[in-house]
Amino acid sequence: GDSVTQMEGPVTLSEEAFLTINCTYTATGYPSLFWYVQYPGEGLQLLLKATKADDKGSNKGFEATYRKETTSFHLEKGSVQVSDSAVYFCALGRAAGNKLTFGGGTRVLVKP
Amino acid sequence: DVKVTQSSRYLVKRTGEKVFLECVQDMDHENMFWYRQDPGLGLRLIYFSYDVKMKEKGDIPEGYSVSREKKERFSLILESASTNQTSMYLCASSLAGQSNSPLHFGNGTRLTVT
């Protein structure tokens, strides 16, 4: 079945540092890929998505490229802020019914 | 903005009790989901529903049931709570008919079973 693996945290960075969170997936066919973010005390919200190979999703300075050859969807941000401190989830989805399979989540802590 | 509201933020129940977790969404979404969130395991799908009175098992349905009598409301039921059901429960909804429309999540219910 489908599965998503992402790097374990926590990841601790200084403000303005470069952030990368690795995500790889196992799936047949052509799923869509997502990054969700969970700020403290809140539910998850969609950060970005890509629906086919070589698509790049971007939002709020974050980017991720759907790489089918390496089955990866790594999240990057060039210069993080303290407000980016959150838990980030990589997810894989099938069009029918929007049922998502999530990775384990990566906690990111940005220090001033 | 879509609003998904979970009735309780924190809940403490005793082993063996019947527990109801309620979720209401206000955007007329067809799809609704219940996930549980545990450290290191991410989110795991318990049950989902594509329409009123319709339900399907997710990846970990054992010990749970659901009810969807109205389109806006999706309830998760723990028939006889056990300590291994202590967790954060997240409800989500999404629009049907649009490929890959995003899931909208509630803020979660943290359930402790003692």
Side-chain angles (χ1 to χ4, degrees):
Chain A
D2 296 342
S3 68
V4 177
T5 303
Q6 59 183 107
M7 58 189 290
E8 289 191 25
V11 175
T12 303
L13 303 164
S14 297
E15 212 165 17
E16 299 184 2
F18 185 86
L19 171 68
T20 300
I21 304 176
N22 290 339
C23 170
T24 56
Y25 68 90
T26 301
T28 56
Y30 301 92
S32 294
L33 300 173
F34 304 82
W35 278 100
Y36 279 79
V37 58
Q38 184 180 33
Y39 298 105
E42 299 183 12
L44 279 71
Q45 54 186 276
L46 179 67
L47 182 59
L48 54 84
K49 69 179 181 182
T51 57
K52 61 182 187 295
D54 299 323
D55 265 3
K56 178 186 282 189
S58 62
N59 186 25
K60 298 182 181 179
F62 290 90
E63 291 184 343
T65 302
Y66 188 160
R67 301 281 187 208
K68 188 155 179 66
E69 65 275 14
T70 55
T71 61
S72 65
F73 192 54
H74 305 321
L75 182 69
E76 297 181 337
K77 185 173 185 181
S79 176
V80 293
Q81 306 299 312
V82 172
S83 57
D84 294 323
S85 297
V87 182
Y88 293 82
F89 291 91
C90 185
L92 175 160
R94 302 288 181 180
N98 311 118
K99 202 161 61 116
L100 297 185
T101 300
F102 286 86
T106 302
R107 182 175 299 278
V108 173
L109 178 62
V110 180
K111 296 186 173 180
Chain B
D1 261 2
V2 176
K3 193 167 176 66
V4 179
T5 303
Q6 296 183 230
S7 55
S8 303
R9 196 63 191 269
Y10 299 95
L11 216 48
V12 180
K13 295 293 181 181
R14 293 195 179 277
T15 300
E17 279 193 78
K18 190 169 185 175
V19 182
F20 293 85
L21 302 183
E22 306 288 347
C23 175
V24 177
Q25 50 93 5
D26 66 358
M27 281 302 289
D28 204 35
H29 283 174
E30 292 82 5
N31 302 330
M32 295 191 75
F33 307 83
W34 276 106
Y35 286 88
R36 65 176 281 177
Q37 181 180 5
D38 299 289
L41 297 177
L43 276 70
R44 292 178 291 167
L45 182 63
I46 305 171
Y47 266 96
F48 58 103
S49 170
Y50 294 149
D51 204 349
V52 175
K53 296 193 186 295
M54 177 274 172
K55 60 186 178 184
E56 287 198 30
K57 293 180 180 179
D59 300 318
I60 52 163
E62 296 78 18
Y64 303 95
S65 63
V66 290
S67 172
R68 192 160 181 207
E69 296 296 319
K70 294 185 177 181
K71 190 175 186 180
E72 66 271 19
R73 185 179 296 272
F74 192 36
S75 303
L76 180 69
I77 303 155
L78 286 65
E79 297 292 343
S80 176
S82 64
T83 54
N84 63 12
Q85 293 178 310
T86 291
S87 186
M88 171 71 85
Y89 290 87
L90 292 171
C91 176
S93 71
S94 71
L95 206 54
Q98 292 187 11
S99 176
N100 306 307
S101 62
L103 265 62
H104 297 267
F105 284 85
N107 285 345
T109 296
R110 186 167 293 283
L111 173 67
T112 302
V113 182
T114 62

